[in-house]
Each structure stands twice: as C-alpha cells, then as structure tokens.
C-alpha cells in the first residue's frame, strides 16, 4: 500500500500528490444547502455538479440536490448565458425553490460569464418568478480550496440579502463555519441553554440530517430562511467561527450593516468552546447558566481521568484550516504533541496561527499550508507519530504505517456515523477524547505482549 | 403467460404512455419536447426510436457526469501501474481519486498501485492566465523522478481546453525527455453530452498509444480479452476465475485490474468479448480492423446470461474439449447456485424493479433480476446511445450531431505485419449459418417487455414520479439518487459502487446478488418507517395494550406475561 512513497522528500513545484483539499464549488454548494428552500446551481459542465453531489452524498448519506448549467462545447465557446437562462426557467418550473444560489466553476470563470447580468436578464424576461431570490458567488477552482468556496457563498449570501432597517433586534448572528449538521445542532443547543436568540448562517441541520419517514421533500424544514438572513443586518452582533470559512462573511456584514463582529475559531475542544461561550456572554451580556458550567466540568473531569493515556502522544493532523487550528489547540490543552500539521488550503495565516498555538507547548512541529498528504506521509516515514487525525483520505497512511486514524473533518467516506455526532462544544470534545483514548488503548490491547494485556486500565 | 402491465401503488394497471405523460406534465414546453423523445413505451418487436445521447437540459437534475469522468474515471483510471496526472485545478483529480470501485491488485507484492495516488497539476490562477504547459511538463518530471513509472497518462480538464494548453505536445516532449510512454487525453468536461464522449476519447488514445506495443506469443489458443469490464467490486476476478476453470486465458481485461503490459499486448488475443458495449465498442471495432480479432457481446451478469456467454465463447473456438469443459463448469456452478436461487426466488418472485444506470448495467442486471423471478417495469441508461437501446442494427441511421462530431473518429487500417484474421471467411460463414452473430448487440429494449417504460437520462423529477405512481420493490441507481429513493421507502441498490458489496458477476457473483436483493426486499427497516401510532391511530387499542402490559408487570401475574399479551394484540 502506497508503495511508491519513500521517506526522502524532494522539492515539488508542479505536482500535487494526494491533496488535502478540493475545489471551491463543492464548498459553495454545501453552504447554499444551509439556506432554507435553496437550490444550489453549478454554472459549468455537468461533471462538476455530479462530482460535488456525489461526494457530499457519500459524506452525509442524505439526498444532496443541486442543478447544473450542463455546458457543452458550444457554451464553452459562446458563453453560458443561454444555458443559465434555460436552467433558471426549468428550476423554478419544476422544483420551485425559494432561492437559487448560483456558483461558478473554473470553466465559466475562464469564459468570464457575468452572472449578475444573466440573472437580471432572466428576471426581465420573466424566467424568474416574482418573489423568488437568485443569488450568486464566484468560485474559481484555481484559487483557494473548497473552504474558500464555502466562505465565498456565505459572504455573497449576506451581500445579496442582509439588510439594516435601523432597528436592532435581540438576536445574535452566528456564522458557524464548515461544520456538519450535528455540530450546528449542538451550537444551537448551547445557545438555547444560554438563552440567546440567534440566527445561524448557513444552517444545514434539518437539511442534511433528515429522518426516514417514507416521505421525501426536496426542500426540508431546515436551513436559514431568507427572512432571517435579511434580518441579520439588524442583529446586535455576529460571532464568526473560523478564519478561513467564516470571517470574511462577518466582515462583509460589519461593513454592510454595521453589525459588530467577533472573530473566533471553531468551538472545537475545551479552549475553543470556552472562547465561544465567553464571547456569547460578552456580546449578549448574560450570565453563564449552571448547566453550561456543569457540562464544562464534566469535560474537565474526563480530561483529568484520561490524561495519562494522551499526555505526550505525538499527532499528525491534516485537513481544513479552521478545523486543524481548533484541533491543534485542543491537543495542546490535552498536553499532546502535534508533530505534523498540514492543510491543503493556501493561506499564510495558518502557519502563523499554528506557531502561536504551539509556542509554549514544547512541541516542535512541522507546519505547512498548501501542503498535501503525500508529503505528510513522507514525514511520518521519517519519524512516526502515535495518532493521525484527519479525513478518510488518511486511511491508507494509517494502515501502512500502523498508526490509528481519528476520523475528523470533511469528508468521511468510510464510516457511517461521524456526521451524526458533533465535534463542537464540550460534548464534542468528550467524543474526541473518547475516540483518541480508545484508539490508543485498542492498539495497545491488540499489540502488547501477553503479560501486559490488562483487564483494568 | 399473462400480459405485462405496470401497476400503480393501488394495484391498478397504468400504461407506460400514461406514466410518461404524468412525468412530463410539469415541464415547460421546450423541456417537455426534448424529454418526450427520451421516454418511451417499449415495443420489443418494433423498437421505437429513442432520443439518446442528446444534450442534458440545463436546470434538470441529471445523473450524468462529464467527459473527463468517462475518460479518466472509467476507461483509463483503472490501469494500476501507470501514473495518471490530471491537468487542471484540483477538484477533478480529487473527485476521481478512489471514488469508483475499480479494484486492483498489483502483480507482485510491493509493486506500486497508482490508484492509491491522486496526482494533479493543481492549477492556480497564474497558470490559467499564463498557460499551464510548463507546469504540466514539470509535473511529469517530478512524477518520473519520484516513481519511475512505466507510462504517464495526462488528462485535460475544462479550463485547459479554453486556455489552449497543448497537452499532446507536452506529452510528446516528455516521452522523449523521460524515455517512457507519455500520452495526453483531451477529455475536457464540456466535450460531448456525457461521460460517453470520454469513453470514446479514451478508446482512441489507448488504441493509438498502448495497444500493440508489446508483442508476445499466446500459448493458450483460447486466449481472449474481456472488454468493458472494470472490476467493480471484484467482478473481473470472478469472470477470470470462471474462464480459467473452463480453460480460457484472459490476456487483458479492459480495464479492470489491468496493468500496462496487459493493455499493450491485448492485440495478441484471439477473441474480444464485450461486456459494456457503450464504453468500449470502439476498441473492439478498431482491434478487429487492425489486428483481425473478432468480437461479440457477452454478459456475465446473471446465471443464465453467464452460461449463454460461456457457450458462445465455446462455440466460437469450436473445440470439443473446450465445449465439454464449459458444460461441466456450467453444470457444477449451476448445481451450487440452484438452491440459493430457489430459496431467494421464493421470496422475490413477482417483485418489480426499475434500473437507471450507466451504459450497460441497466440492461445486464435485468438478467440477474429475472434469475430470481423479478420483473423490470422501467429502465434506462445514463449516457448510452441509440444502439445500446435499439441494437446495433440502427447504427447506420444514427445522425451524427454537433456534439458527437467533436469527438475524433480515428481512421484505422489493417496492420501490414500483424493483421491476422482469427477465423477464415469460410469459418465465419459456417458459424453465421448456424445463427452465430459477431459484432452483435441487440440493445436493452428487445429484451424488455412490451409496454414497459424506457427512460433515457432519467431526471430526478421523473424518478420521484415513478415512485409516487408505481413504487417499485427495488430501484437500481447511483449514489446521487440513492437516499432520495430510500427516503421514499424504496430500497435502492447502487449499480456503480454496488453499495460497497459484490462481486456480482459470474455464477458466484450471482449468488451474492440474489442474497443482497433478498436482504434489501425483506429487511425489517422498511416496516419500521411508519410508527405504531400512525398504523393504528385508535387510542382505545393502545390503551388496552397498555393496561394488559401493566398487569403483566404485577408479580402475581408475571408468569402469564406471554399469554396475556395475545388478546391485546387482537384488540
């Protein structure tokens, strides 16, 4: 397995091998699914839409609906106006969404299709029914990563829709980041306990985690409503989780509607969740209820109980930058040693931030933005680690190097339930500890000499 | 035999035409005009013309993918001992990385299986603006330095075509510089109307750049290639094992679990049998013209179909020893399979299935379902052409439209040295006189019932309508539809990935499939979909049960727990 990978690293300037990222449009599609009644639309060849829907479906095991402009050679030459206009007419006639959220692809970006003009023309021609919303974002695949695409779609949604009436509401905006529906539910649960009225954008809970009851609705109950997105301009503050996925949208809202923005990291792990709760406390001027402190104390209790199994363990972490940053912080909280820290998404901020987090941890880590899993594997071959944390694409390295893999982030394609259990909040932190400790102990139980195989540990 | 009819959920008959109209109702006029050519009430005797291989209508939720997916993802991607570099932004390489289950096992332990690697030029804005040829050449050098592969295949993605990078020129240059075979494929996603264009481009490239590069002597006279078999879930291994039992040697499977040398020496086989007609018929044709290798269609999906295919291979070679061995193998395999088939059929007989997938599977799998007494009420391909529906007889009448014209038709001539017709004209005439057919594919519609519904490139809306009106017992489709279908309470069997199961080919695979369909149609989960309070909303009934249950819990009556529950059930 991965027999072509040798320990010695060489400089590569052109060849990406085993990426730790994918392209912008899939992130935009995912973000658009977090708008209520929204049909994401991929403006390009139909392969893009097909690949994105397939991959999101493999992770969420839920219907993922999106349409495409189905470009052919003719549209590639003459532009996508006709295709997008026809698409809009068909989408509203057949599927009748409240919102169509268009994202571009590398093809339509290179052609240079002017989406707002096409939308306007379609509206003028009556192809977009009265009262329906059409928004767009530019997601050139040759810039950034899927996280950039996600951020672009959230930012554009705000740009198109958020309004300020001048009457500030009692609601707090939360831009939660590129999270699973279970994470969104957990954030909403925490906000509920804190007694804070909130608007989350995007909100894929109730869209990509629906039950099986014999019915199918193309536009399920979940998702942030257009009405709520509009009123985000009147909220008293915004908390944005994640530099790469969420901060741009909060900045947009601050500039557009003067809503004060708090820039946080993902509420994953102890410190991340503490900062989130504390920020909500400060913005909403509330006292923290006992229930939250009890939850937190249970996590601390677990950290104390199991500290011995995690302390000093070396870890390779790969994935999306906001997730990796938050996870690195949590590993430091647990006195573990992040040894290799990689994201495929480009951005110098990543390396700076990881260096800050690791500064006093005693961990001498190799950190890389715009990196890939091939190089990560080479480093592991040079000096192994105790655990790998990342998405399913790390499973080959984990198997061939006999290192447990903690599945974390997007996408998880080979296990069924990760999407259902949050990694955010104190609850999520407990689950992460559970997975890490079990992985360490399972390996020990499987491999230790018989005299060290113990019943109680 | 009673007349075939499609039944609605309430058990009434509905004509395919009425069902079609129900599906079309919602469409805007122009969309309706296009879609109605692609949905037909079947007549196997007099197959109507279907509007296949036409453009997907923008805005329609389609199953289809792109040309790149057909070229890299389907035909070339499975060659496991060469490096595959996708030239473009990262997405296309990423999504085609181990996402199709074309399993592979390197010949020697420790050989690199390149399917585990995703390689891309990961084009950035700079290359889009200034061109990506230099980066592509450098990527080839880096790949060679790291892996020393036998060959490198380069795949163009959408923007590459638009910015005008010449991947073929880079490939030629790199071939010279690195001293290995480097070939480029212009499979930009927007070419053609579906994956199908990519298959054709891949066939052309493999034929031009690989087939015939390695001459070798075949010691077994019964040496064949299995074309259009991609080893999804290990199917090619089942077929290989079965053929070996019969004494037939597989030179090359295009392109399931195949290595470069096998592809390059595939012209040394004496027969090509074609599984997936859509994706590889070009190759069969070209190999016949250049090397004189005859071909015909087979199907190793389904026990009856497998036996028929084996017998046809036996008949082709005309060797008594081989024919006898084939009969022995069929008898032994059928004997092992029969009890499973019988047992499963007792539960599946009469159940209805609909299949919408690919370019051959929606046809092949009808054979498997018919093995266990299930009836196909509706089927269609995702990216097939008219000949896959109506049979190759219609080939001369297919109009070549602008999209098909974009795909190169390479001119092939008999190889001056190596053209070797495997059968003399007399032998061929004798075989044909006995009803034997070459270059044959009758298509899906001839095998389907009169008044069944054929749907090309089914849309999401049509799928939903089909379920709402007739709720088949099983639908075969792909990952994008799977969970929609299952939300509606119908089990869905993926025929691209096999839901990570399989193999389903040959007799051994058929047993797996029978059991899988048995599982899907008998699983309890579908019975749990409606909660008990919605099944019998009468409040009183549940109160009686509640009371009885409460009484059961009292110590003096605990011994009678099971008994006292019975009357409660009746209530």
């Amino acid at each position: 397995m991965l027999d072509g990978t040798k320990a010695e690293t060489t400089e590569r300037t052109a060849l990406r091998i085993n990426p730790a990222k994918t392209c912008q449009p899939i992130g935009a599609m995912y973000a658009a699914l977090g708008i209520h009644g929204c049909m994401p639309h991929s403006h390009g060849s139909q392969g893009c839409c097909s690949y994105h829907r397939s991959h999101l479906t493999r992770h969420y095991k839920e219907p993922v609906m999106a349409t495409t402009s189905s470009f052919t050679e003719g549209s590639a030459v003459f532009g996508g106006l006709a295709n997008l206009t026809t698409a809009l007419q068909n989408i509203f006639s057949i599927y009748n969404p409240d919102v169509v959220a268009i994202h571009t692809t590398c093809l339509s970006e290179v052609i240079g299709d002017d989406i707002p003009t096409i939308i306007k023309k379609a509206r003028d021609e009556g192809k977009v029914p009265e009262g329906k919303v059409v928004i767009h974002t530019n997601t050139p695949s040759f810039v950034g990563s899927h996280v950039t695409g996600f951020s672009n779609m959230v930012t554009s949604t705000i740009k198109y829709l958020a309004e300020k009436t001048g009457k500030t509401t009692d609601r707090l905006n939360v831009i939660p980041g590129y999270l699973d529906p279970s994470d969104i539910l957990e954030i909403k649960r925490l906000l509920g306990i804190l007694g804070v009225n909130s608007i989350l954008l995007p909100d894929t809970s109730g869209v990509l985690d629906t039950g099986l009851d014999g019915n199918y609705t193309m536009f399920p109950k979940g998702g942030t409503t257009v009405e709520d997105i509009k009123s985000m301009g009147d909220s008293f503050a915004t908390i944005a989780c994640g530099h790469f996925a969420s901060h741009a949208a909060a900045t947009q809202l601050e500039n557009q509607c003067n809503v004060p923005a708090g820039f946080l990291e993902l509420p994953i792990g102890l410190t991340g969740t503490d900062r989130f709760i504390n920020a909500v406390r400060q913005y909403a001027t509330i006292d923290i209820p006992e229930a939250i402190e009890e939850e937190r104390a249970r996590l601390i209790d677990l950290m104390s109980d199991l500290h011995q199994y995690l302390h000093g363990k070396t870890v390779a972490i790969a994935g999306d930058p906001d997730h990796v940053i938050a996870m690195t912080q949590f590993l430091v909280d647990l006195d573990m040693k992040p040894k290799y820290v990689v994201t495929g998404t480009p951005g110098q901020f990543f390396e700076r931030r990881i260096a800050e987090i690791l500064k006093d941890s005693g961990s001498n880590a190799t950190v890389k933005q715009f990196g890939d899993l091939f190089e990560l594997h080479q480093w592991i071959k040079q000096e192994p680690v105790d655990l790998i944390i990342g998405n399913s694409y790390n499973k080959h390295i984990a198997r061939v190097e006999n290192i447990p893999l903690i599945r974390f982030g997007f996408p998880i394609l080979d296990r069924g339930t990760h999407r259902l259990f949050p990694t955010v909040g104190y609850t999520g932190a407990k689950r992460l500890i559970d997975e890490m400790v079990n992985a360490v102990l399972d390996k020990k139980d499987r491999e230790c000499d018989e005299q060290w195989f113990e019943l109680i540990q | 035999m009673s007349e075939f009819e499609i039944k609605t959920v309430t058990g009434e008959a509905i004509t395919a035409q009425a069902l079609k109209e129900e599906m079309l109702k919602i469409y805007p006029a122009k969309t309706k005009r296009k879609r109605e050519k692609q949905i037909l009430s079947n007549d196997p005797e007099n197959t109507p013309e279907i509007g296949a291989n036409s453009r997907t209508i923008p805005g329609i939720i389609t199953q289809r993918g792109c040309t790149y997916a057909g070229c890299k993802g389907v035909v070339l991607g499975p060659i496991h001992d060469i490096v595959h570099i996708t030239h473009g932004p990262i997405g296309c390489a990423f999504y085609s990385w181990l996402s199709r289950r074309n399993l592979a096992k390197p010949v020697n332990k420790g050989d690199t299986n390149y399917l585990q690697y995703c390689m891309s030029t990961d084009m950035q804005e700079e290359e889009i603006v200034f061109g990506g040829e230099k980066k592509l050449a450098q990527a080839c050098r880096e790949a060679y330095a790291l892996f020393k592969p036998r060959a490198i295949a380069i795949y163009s993605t959408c923007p590459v075509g638009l910015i005008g990078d010449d991947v073929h020129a880079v490939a030629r240059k790199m071939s010279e510089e690195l001293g290995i075979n480097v070939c480029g494929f212009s499979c930009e996603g927007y070419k053609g109307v579906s994956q199908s264009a990519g298959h054709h481009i891949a066939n052309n490239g493999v034929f031009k750049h690989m087939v015939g590069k390695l001459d070798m002597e075949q010691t077994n006279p019964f040496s064949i290639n299995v074309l259009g078999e991609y080893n999804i879930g290990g199917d090619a291994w089942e077929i290989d094992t079965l053929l070996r039992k019969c004494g037939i040697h597989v030179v090359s499977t295009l392109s399931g679990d195949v290595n470069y040398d096998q592809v390059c020496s595939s012209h040394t086989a004496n027969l090509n049998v074609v599984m997936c007609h859509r994706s590889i018929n070009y190759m069969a044709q070209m190999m016949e013209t250049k090397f004189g290798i005859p071909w015909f269609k087979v199907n190793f999906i389904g026990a009856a179909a497998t036996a028929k295919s084996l017998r046809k291979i036996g008949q082709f070679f005309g060797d008594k020893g081989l024919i006898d061995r084939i009969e022995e193998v069929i008898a032994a395999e059928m004997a092992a399979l029969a009890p499973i088939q019988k047992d499963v059929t007792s539960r599946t007989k009469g159940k209805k299935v609909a299949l919408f997938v690919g370019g051959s599977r929606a046809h092949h799998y009808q054979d498997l379902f018919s093995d266990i007494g299930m009836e196909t009420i509706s089927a269609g391909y995702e990216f097939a052409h008219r000949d896959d529906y109506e049979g190759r007889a219609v080939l001369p009448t297919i109009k070549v439209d602008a999209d098909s014209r974009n795909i190169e038709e390479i001119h092939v001539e008999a190889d001056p040295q190596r053209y070797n017709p495997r059968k003399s004209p007399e032998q061929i005439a004798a075989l044909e006189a006995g009803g034997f057919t070459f270059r044959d594919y009758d298509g899906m519609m001839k095998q389907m019932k009169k008044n069944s519904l054929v749907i090309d490139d089914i849309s999401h809306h049509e799928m939903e309508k089909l379920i709402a009106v007739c709720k088949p017992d099983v639908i075969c489709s792909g990952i994008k539809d799977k969970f929609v279908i299952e939300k509606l309470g119908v089990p869905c069997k993926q025929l691209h990935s096999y839901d990570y199961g399989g193999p389903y080919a040959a007799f051994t695979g058929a047993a797996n499939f029978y059991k899988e369909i048995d599982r899907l149609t008998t699983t309890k989960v579908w019975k749990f979909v409606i909660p008990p309070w919605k099944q019998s909303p009468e409040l009183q009934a549940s109160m009686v049960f509640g009371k009885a249950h409460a009484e059961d819990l009292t110590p003096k009556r605990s011994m009678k727990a099971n008994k006292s529950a019975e009357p409660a059930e009746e209530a």
Side-chain angles (χ1 to χ4, degrees):
Chain A
M1 193 171 286
L2 296 177
D3 293 291
T5 311
K6 305 287 177 275
E8 188 199 347
T9 52
T10 48
E11 200 201 354
R12 274 181 287 133
T13 58
L15 186 65
R16 172 72 63 211
I17 313 174
N18 295 358
K21 63 160 184 179
T22 180
C23 63
Q24 283 210 42
I26 194 173
M29 185 182 282
Y30 180 60
L33 288 164
I35 300 170
H36 178 72
C38 178
M39 178 70 85
H41 181 82
S42 166
H43 186 53
S45 299
Q46 67 208 9
C48 310
C49 188
S50 180
Y51 273 144
H52 302 148
R53 288 181 61 208
S54 298
H55 233 56
L56 289 168
T57 306
R58 289 178 187 124
H59 177 87
Y60 292 105
K61 305 204 185 314
E62 287 290 310
V64 173
M65 285 301 140
T67 49
T68 164
S69 290
S70 291
F71 273 34
T72 55
E73 187 134 14
S75 9
V77 174
F78 300 111
L81 181 141
N83 286 48
L84 184 51
T85 312
T86 307
L88 285 170
Q89 187 187 19
N90 277 319
I91 293 164
F92 285 114
S93 307
I94 304 165
Y95 311 114
N96 193 26
D98 299 335
V99 185
V100 172
I102 302 163
H103 59 262
T104 57
T105 57
C106 43
L107 177 55
S108 54
E109 283 291 327
V110 173
I111 296 169
D113 275 345
D114 179 6
I115 309 296
T117 307
I118 301 176
I119 298 172
K120 188 178 175 303
K121 197 161 170 285
R123 242 184 224 293
D124 294 345
E125 288 170 1
K127 304 279 167 65
V128 178
E130 206 58 38
K132 298 290 183 181
V133 176
V134 182
I135 62 175
H136 98 285
T137 197
N138 290 91
T139 47
S141 315
F142 41 82
V143 175
S145 75
H146 57 298
V147 180
T148 322
F150 178 92
S151 169
N152 286 346
M153 181 49 86
V154 183
T155 307
S156 293
T157 305
I158 284 171
K159 206 168 174 176
Y160 265 95
L161 299 175
E163 290 170 2
K164 190 170 185 67
T165 63
K167 201 174 154 208
T168 304
T169 64
D170 68 344
R171 298 211 281 184
L172 173 70
N173 299 325
V174 177
I175 302 179
Y178 203 138
L179 295 173
D180 281 350
S182 55
D183 293 316
I184 309 272
L185 283 178
E186 177 61 13
I187 291 175
K188 289 205 273 196
R189 188 185 70 85
L190 287 170
L191 290 165
I193 298 173
L194 291 166
V196 174
N197 287 330
S198 59
I199 302 171
L200 273 76
L201 176 76
D203 178 358
T204 51
S205 68
V207 181
L208 289 169
D209 60 352
T210 64
L212 203 165
D213 62 2
N215 296 304
Y216 166 73
T217 324
M218 184 173 277
F219 305 107
K221 283 183 195 157
T224 322
T225 61
V226 168
E227 201 186 334
D228 275 353
I229 301 169
K230 280 186 180 164
S231 90
M232 285 175 82
D234 287 331
S235 295
F236 64 85
T238 301
I239 289 180
C241 306
H243 174 86
F244 287 85
S246 299
H247 288 186
T251 306
Q252 174 67 33
L253 191 59
E254 193 169 52
N255 294 339
Q256 188 172 321
C257 300
N258 210 18
V259 182
F263 299 104
L264 299 187
E265 282 162 1
L266 285 174
I268 289 174
L270 174 67
T271 302
T273 307
D274 278 351
R275 287 184 183 140
F276 177 79
I277 299 284
N278 209 23
V280 175
R281 178 181 72 96
Q282 285 167 351
Y283 279 109
T285 55
I286 52 161
D287 292 328
I288 299 301
E290 208 176 303
I292 294 282
E293 287 177 354
E294 281 170 4
E295 268 189 39
R296 184 180 187 279
R298 281 191 202 102
L299 171 62
I300 304 294
D301 188 68
L302 191 68
M303 286 168 72
S304 156
D305 292 348
L306 301 176
H307 183 259
Q308 69 185 87
Y309 300 110
L310 298 176
H311 169 259
K313 289 280 182 286
T314 54
V315 186
I317 322 160
D320 296 341
D322 294 338
H323 279 77
V324 172
I325 288 169
M327 180 53 101
T328 304
Q329 178 66 59
F330 188 38
L331 297 178
V332 170
D333 293 348
L334 291 163
D335 294 314
M336 297 170 78
K337 302 267 182 245
K339 191 173 171 73
Y340 308 119
V341 187
V342 179
T343 186
T345 299
Q348 296 299 338
F349 176 87
F350 177 81
E351 291 180 11
R352 282 206 308 276
R353 183 63 193 131
I354 296 290
E356 268 171 32
I357 293 170
L358 295 179
K359 199 168 53 161
D360 301 319
S361 71
S363 181
N364 187 20
T366 307
V367 184
K368 191 162 182 176
Q369 52 96 21
F370 206 39
D372 59 37
L373 301 182
F374 180 73
E375 191 172 15
L376 174 69
H377 189 189
Q378 291 180 311
W379 296 337
I380 290 173
K381 276 189 177 300
Q382 289 164 19
E383 270 185 62
V385 288
D386 297 311
L387 287 176
I388 300 172
I389 298 179
N391 64 24
S392 293
Y393 289 96
N394 293 279
K395 77 182 289 185
H396 295 84
I397 305 177
R399 172 165 161 149
V400 74
E401 302 302 335
N402 188 25
I403 300 167
L405 170 64
I406 307 300
R407 285 170 178 78
F408 173 71
F410 173 86
I412 291 171
L413 308 167
D414 63 331
R415 294 292 186 272
T417 56
H418 283 73
R419 71 206 158 90
L420 298 175
F421 298 100
T423 54
V424 302
Y426 302 121
T427 311
K430 284 196 292 186
R431 176 167 162 81
L432 290 170
I433 291 176
D434 174 49
E435 290 205 20
M436 289 191 284
V437 171
N438 287 349
V440 168
L441 293 179
D442 282 347
K443 187 170 193 300
K444 187 219 148 197
D445 281 352
R446 209 168 44 240
E447 295 178 354
C448 69
D449 288 341
E450 190 174 327
Q451 66 273 26
W452 294 106
F453 185 73
E454 302 194 46
L455 177 68
I456 302 166
Q457 47 195 8
Chain B
M1 205 176 83
S2 64
E3 186 84 346
F4 169 84
E5 17 183 56
I6 302 176
K7 295 264 178 54
T8 67
V9 275
T10 51
E12 295 140 23
I14 181 168
T15 64
Q17 185 60 31
L19 186 51
K20 169 181 173 174
E21 275 157 26
E22 187 61 30
M23 290 172 176
L24 292 174
K25 241 194 258 171
I26 201 169
Y27 290 139
K30 207 172 144 193
T31 305
K32 190 174 171 183
R33 274 202 304 279
K34 284 190 163 179
R35 284 305 298 158
E36 65 190 0
K37 293 182 192 145
Q38 290 171 271
I39 308 177
L40 298 175
S41 175
N42 189 41
D43 182 352
E45 302 299 321
N46 187 17
T47 47
E49 180 180 332
I50 191 158
N53 194 33
S54 55
R55 290 180 185 177
T56 302
I57 307 157
I60 290 281
I61 298 178
T62 171
Q63 298 177 326
R64 283 178 170 177
C66 66
T67 308
Y68 166 85
C71 179
K72 195 268 183 178
V74 173
V75 178
L76 274 140
I79 307 175
H80 59 75
D81 63 345
I82 67 170
V83 154
H84 303 270
I85 299 177
T86 299
H87 184 37
I90 196 65
C92 307
F94 180 83
Y95 302 115
S96 56
W97 177 19
L98 294 173
S99 55
R100 186 159 168 266
R101 292 184 67 230
N102 39 250
L103 307 181
K105 191 172 176 223
V107 182
N108 305 303
K109 199 173 167 12
D111 286 354
T112 302
N113 173 2
Y114 289 100
L115 307 190
Q116 291 160 356
Y117 292 89
C118 166
M119 299 196 208
S120 164
T121 51
D122 191 6
M123 280 177 114
Q124 299 297 300
E125 196 152 23
E126 193 187 323
E127 289 99 42
I128 295 289
V129 176
F130 299 107
E133 290 180 12
K134 269 190 197 153
K135 191 174 195 183
L136 176 60
Q138 180 59 19
C140 291
R141 287 185 198 105
E142 289 173 6
Y144 186 73
L146 279 165
F147 300 105
K148 302 282 181 304
R150 312 281 312 278
I152 298 175
I154 299 164
Y155 308 94
S156 295
T157 61
C158 289
V160 168
L162 282 192
I163 64 172
D165 277 0
D166 186 346
V167 297
H168 305 283
V170 174
R172 277 194 300 275
K173 201 175 127 203
M174 284 299 111
S175 273
E176 284 168 26
E177 186 181 317
L178 305 174
I180 58 165
N181 187 1
V182 182
C183 36
F185 293 85
S186 290
C187 53
E188 288 86 348
Y190 56 76
K191 287 195 170 164
V193 300
S194 69
Q195 292 95 311
S196 174
H199 304 147
H200 196 168
I201 291 166
N203 274 240
N204 289 348
V206 170
F207 187 74
K208 272 198 288 197
H209 300 297
M210 297 180 193
V211 173
K213 283 223 179 280
L214 180 64
D215 282 314
M216 57 164 67
E217 196 87 11
Q218 294 299 341
T219 50
N220 185 334
F222 316 124
S223 288
I224 69 169
N225 297 315
V226 181
L227 304 187
E229 165 50 54
Y230 301 101
N231 200 30
I232 307 300
D235 275 354
W237 293 327
E238 295 302 297
I239 296 169
D240 210 33
T241 305
L242 176 68
L243 291 170
R244 203 176 312 125
K245 278 187 201 166
C246 299
I248 299 161
H249 170 63
V250 176
V251 178
S252 155
T253 300
L254 283 185
S255 45
D257 188 28
V258 78
N259 62 47
Y260 182 65
D261 282 350
Q262 288 171 325
V263 178
C264 292
S265 62
S266 56
H267 65 293
T268 60
N270 288 325
L271 170 67
N272 279 326
V273 295
V274 170
M275 277 289 281
C276 175
H277 174 260
R278 180 66 271 135
S279 61
I280 210 111
N281 74 86
Y282 321 93
M283 179 65 74
Q285 289 282 96
M286 292 188 289
M287 283 173 77
E288 177 158 29
T289 310
K290 188 167 179 180
F291 300 105
I293 308 172
W295 73 271
F296 53 80
K297 176 84 177 65
V298 291
N299 178 20
F300 291 111
I301 301 293
T306 300
K308 195 174 153 197
S309 298
L310 284 177
R311 287 186 175 120
K312 186 160 183 183
I313 296 171
Q315 201 188 344
F316 169 81
F317 285 112
D319 177 273
K320 178 149 190 325
L322 176 67
I323 292 169
D324 290 348
R325 231 169 11 248
I326 285 172
E327 289 306 328
E328 281 164 27
V329 169
I330 292 172
E333 297 275 345
M334 282 296 211
L337 186 62
I340 302 166
Q341 188 174 356
K342 195 176 160 207
D343 174 51
V344 172
T345 306
S346 70
R347 288 178 294 279
T348 50
K349 195 173 171 46
K351 286 194 172 8
K352 314 290 180 202
V353 62
L355 311 91
F356 305 101
V357 65
S360 66
R361 290 175 197 270
H363 181 190
H364 289 167
Y365 276 76
Q366 293 185 30
D367 285 328
L368 259 177
F369 282 107
S370 109
D371 284 354
I372 49 171
M374 287 179 66
E375 201 163 44
T376 302
I377 58 165
S378 183
Y381 298 119
E382 181 180 336
F383 46 72
H385 300 195
R386 274 184 64 200
D387 39 322
D388 305 296
Y389 286 102
E390 302 168 54
R392 285 178 66 90
V394 302
L395 274 173
T397 65
I398 295 179
K399 284 192 219 94
V400 181
D401 61 13
D403 296 307
S404 302
R405 235 190 310 275
N406 286 334
I407 313 303
E408 185 193 15
E409 283 284 348
I410 55 175
H411 179 68
V412 181
E413 285 177 0
D415 188 283
Q417 278 86 44
R418 296 179 293 178
Y419 179 77
N420 165 29
R422 274 35 174 203
K423 292 270 173 201
S424 67
E426 295 74 31
Q427 285 172 316
I428 289 175
L431 275 168
E432 285 180 335
F436 196 96
T437 50
F438 290 96
R439 296 169 224 99
D440 57 339
Y441 182 39
D442 286 341
M444 168 198 279
M445 286 156 85
K446 295 233 167 43
Q447 200 179 330
M448 286 175 68
K449 294 276 169 62
K450 191 176 166 70
N451 296 327
S452 59
L453 187 64
V454 180
I455 310 176
D456 179 58
D457 183 22
I458 191 171
S459 78
H460 166 84
H461 165 74
E462 290 148 10
M463 181 81 85
E464 258 199 80
K465 274 284 167 211
L466 179 76
I467 297 170
V469 176
C470 354
K471 203 171 180 188
D473 296 292
V474 177
I475 293 180
C476 293
S477 188
I479 185 75
K480 298 191 290 289
D481 304 314
K482 180 178 174 73
F483 298 107
V484 174
I485 295 165
E486 297 200 335
K487 291 280 183 208
L488 289 163
V490 178
C492 173
K493 181 67 194 165
Q494 290 188 64
L495 288 189
H496 292 285
S497 70
Y498 292 174
D499 291 302
Y500 328 107
Y504 297 140
F507 301 99
T508 38
N512 293 338
F513 194 78
Y514 303 160
K515 289 177 196 163
E516 172 67 352
I517 296 305
D518 192 24
R519 177 189 74 77
L520 275 174
T521 50
T522 57
T523 170
K524 287 193 192 66
V525 74
W526 309 108
K527 298 187 184 81
F528 294 136
V529 168
I530 311 295
W533 49 91
K534 282 195 176 155
Q535 285 169 15
S536 53
E538 304 81 17
L539 210 50
Q540 206 181 358
S542 57
M543 288 300 285
V544 171
F545 183 87
K547 238 186 220 168
H549 187 67
E551 282 167 9
D552 293 345
L553 294 176
T554 60
K556 64 180 165 49
R557 300 192 60 168
S558 63
M559 296 294 283
K560 292 178 186 170
N562 288 335
K563 261 191 176 173
S564 58
E566 281 168 20
E569 289 258 321
E570 281 163 23

